[in-house]
Amino acid sequence: MGKMKVLVILLIAVVVLGGGAMYYLKSPAAEAESEKKLSAEELAEMSIDTDIITTNLATGENYAVVQFNIQLNSKKAKEATEKRTAEVRAAIISTVAGFTKEELVGKEGIAMLEEQLKTKLSETITEGKVERVLVTEFKLQ
């Protein structure tokens, strides 16, 4: 009978630990699912489209024509960023001008540009947070 009690206690412990592990592992997934997907209107209220910008590339022989959509984390951040258009434009030009034509060719090049620009703009924008940067116009010459 003593072995049976130990077995029952072990079984209960395994069930409790298993349940706790499932709760712990499932919790982040539940949070991710519960995150609200933004509607198109909400995205537009927190996004800025830049002007079309033309700048030389690092080699000096080529140039790029680019435009970006910058998504911020709030309307307040968008308003503050709109007041810093000269700084945003300067950050874009200096970032794009640091690339060569070969580095920007293909989807990997565009992804790298978006990521570097997000980092650079995050340093420039003091109010709010840059969620993502999308290339919306892109030509290389």
Side-chain angles (χ1 to χ4, degrees):
M1 198 61 154
K3 289 182 180 179
M4 188 64 123
K5 285 183 181 179
V6 170
L7 212 67
V8 169
I9 291 172
L10 282 174
L11 181 62
I12 290 172
V14 167
V15 169
V16 169
L17 289 174
M22 288 297 291
Y23 176 77
Y24 177 76
L25 293 174
K26 197 148 177 99
S27 181
E31 287 179 25
E33 287 179 0
S34 68
E35 283 184 21
K36 182 180 163 190
K37 296 286 183 186
L38 297 175
S39 69
E41 291 81 21
E42 291 169 322
L43 280 174
E45 291 174 351
M46 296 188 298
S47 297
I48 297 172
D49 288 317
T50 67
D51 295 333
I52 294 175
I53 297 170
T54 303
T55 186
N56 288 330
L57 297 176
T59 59
E61 299 171 7
N62 304 102
Y63 66 91
V65 178
V66 293
Q67 184 176 24
F68 298 93
N69 176 271
I70 304 164
Q71 182 186 339
L72 301 146
N73 66 337
S74 68
K75 293 178 194 176
K76 190 174 181 180
K78 176 185 176 180
E79 292 168 5
T81 303
E82 286 174 330
K83 295 175 184 173
R84 295 176 169 258
T85 54
E87 291 174 78
V88 169
R89 189 173 172 85
I92 290 170
I93 291 170
S94 67
T95 302
V96 174
F99 286 94
T100 64
K101 181 179 180 181
E102 292 74 27
E103 290 173 327
L104 291 175
V105 173
K107 64 182 177 182
E108 293 85 14
I110 291 173
M112 184 171 49
L113 174 61
E114 290 173 340
E115 192 57 38
Q116 282 194 18
L117 191 53
K118 178 182 174 187
T119 301
K120 181 89 169 199
L121 289 173
S122 293
E123 295 168 2
T124 304
I125 295 169
T126 57
E127 191 167 325
K129 179 182 173 196
V130 177
E131 293 291 330
R132 70 179 185 181
V133 174
L134 298 173
V135 174
T136 57
E137 178 83 22
F138 185 74
K139 295 176 191 165
L140 293 175
Q141 260 332 117

